[in-house]
Amino acid sequence: MDEIDRRALQEAKALLENPGLAARLVNVVGRPIEEGLKYLPERVREQISDVTRKALLGSLKVALSTVNGSSGWQSSRLANKLGAAAAGGVGGFFGMPGLAVELPVSTTIMMRAIATIARENGEDTESPETRMACLEVFALGGRSESDDGTETGYYAVRAAMAKVVGDAVAFLARGSGTLAGREAPALLRLISRVAERFSIQVTEKAAAQALPVVSAATAAAVNVLFINHFQDMATGHFAVRRLERKYGPETIRTIYDSLPSRPN
């Protein structure tokens, strides 16, 4: 592996193994996220799971929509951040009830940002595999309650998701590229698995926005951090995939494991 690619892999690992969304949120709101969790009623925490699934389903519909060459999925990262900030500001103004309106918008914006990063790394965004890889990004950087200590690293998450991702890709490859009829069980199983992890970050975001005296401006800043987090995950994920195509998955996995999580 040449030195440029080795540095790219090191940068990808630093992003993927050190996501730290909660720590970033503390820098914005100035208080621990655990404190914000106290302000989330139990019913709200239950609703977050449902809202998360619906938001991911909406983003999946974006992923399955027709991609028109260089337009379609390609979008400005700055425009994505501005859109996320605006959505977060509205959500912050209306408080927790605004989450059901704001999250689908933010998730769709993030899906388009993720797809742009995929394209920048040489992915064919019209292929079923790339589209499911975009959805998979929402599962990165968040620990599911069912995880044990060995299932939180990047490759461990990919391995845990491999079966449902593969089933969804196979479903789409057969030409069943819609959510009509019985709502495509293979795709919905993938949504459920991704939602288990994505809802963790959504809960952290909601907790930050639920803190007293959090203004609409602060809520907008929280949403910018939220989209930055998933852009970082996408940047790392698609850099690894690009290098896997060039050198082979086994070679990249071996080198990835040998690199430090936090470079000197």
Side-chain angles (χ1 to χ4, degrees):
M1 177 181 286
D2 64 45
E3 189 58 31
I4 292 176
D5 286 340
R6 181 178 289 272
R7 285 200 301 270
L9 185 59
Q10 175 64 85
E11 291 170 1
K13 183 170 184 177
L15 291 173
L16 293 165
E17 303 295 344
N18 301 287
L21 176 62
R24 297 183 190 184
L25 292 175
V26 169
N27 291 333
V28 171
V29 300
R31 298 159 77 175
I33 298 305
E34 290 76 9
E35 185 175 345
L37 290 172
K38 299 175 185 176
Y39 294 93
L40 294 182
E42 189 60 35
R43 61 178 177 78
V44 171
R45 299 191 198 192
E46 293 173 358
Q47 289 171 354
I48 285 175
S49 177
D50 183 56
V51 170
T52 298
R53 281 179 171 79
K54 289 179 179 177
L56 286 172
L57 184 60
S59 73
L60 178 58
K61 290 177 180 178
V62 171
L64 296 179
S65 63
T66 301
V67 179
N68 182 19
S70 62
S71 57
W73 285 55
Q74 193 168 18
S75 56
S76 162
R77 295 196 190 195
L78 177 59
N80 289 326
K81 291 178 182 179
L82 291 175
V90 172
F93 181 79
F94 288 104
M96 287 308 301
L99 182 66
V101 176
E102 174 263 314
L103 186 63
V105 175
S106 296
T107 305
T108 299
I109 290 170
M110 288 190 290
M111 175 60 88
R112 299 187 73 85
I114 288 166
T116 297
I117 292 169
R119 185 187 292 276
E120 290 171 352
N121 280 275
E123 299 271 354
D124 175 10
T125 52
E126 294 191 35
S127 75
E129 183 181 0
T130 296
R131 294 180 183 191
M132 294 305 95
C134 288
L135 186 63
E136 191 178 15
V137 169
F138 291 102
L140 301 175
R143 178 170 178 167
S144 167
E145 291 182 0
S146 63
D147 288 342
D148 61 28
T150 65
E151 296 180 330
T152 57
Y154 168 68
Y155 273 104
V157 172
R158 279 182 65 178
M161 299 285 296
K163 178 64 167 61
V164 289
V165 170
D167 289 346
V169 170
F171 174 83
L172 294 175
R174 292 196 297 269
S176 305
T178 70
L179 293 175
R182 297 184 179 179
E183 292 289 82
L187 296 176
L188 294 186
R189 282 195 296 272
L190 176 58
I191 287 285
S192 293
R193 291 296 299 276
V194 173
E196 289 178 10
R197 296 174 181 276
F198 183 45
S199 63
I200 296 167
Q201 280 83 25
V202 174
T203 301
E204 291 174 345
K205 183 174 88 75
Q209 293 176 326
L211 286 165
V213 305
V214 169
S215 65
T218 302
V222 166
N223 239 34
V224 170
L225 282 181
F226 192 58
I227 193 171
N228 278 345
H229 169 74
F230 286 103
Q231 284 183 326
D232 284 348
M233 295 299 99
T235 297
H237 181 47
F238 287 108
V240 170
R241 285 172 56 88
R242 173 174 58 81
L243 294 171
E244 286 177 342
R245 292 194 297 273
K246 183 174 181 179
Y247 295 100
E250 292 184 4
T251 297
I252 295 304
R253 174 66 189 272
T254 298
I255 298 173
Y256 184 98
D257 287 343
S258 71
L259 295 172
S261 296
R262 297 181 184 274
N264 296 326

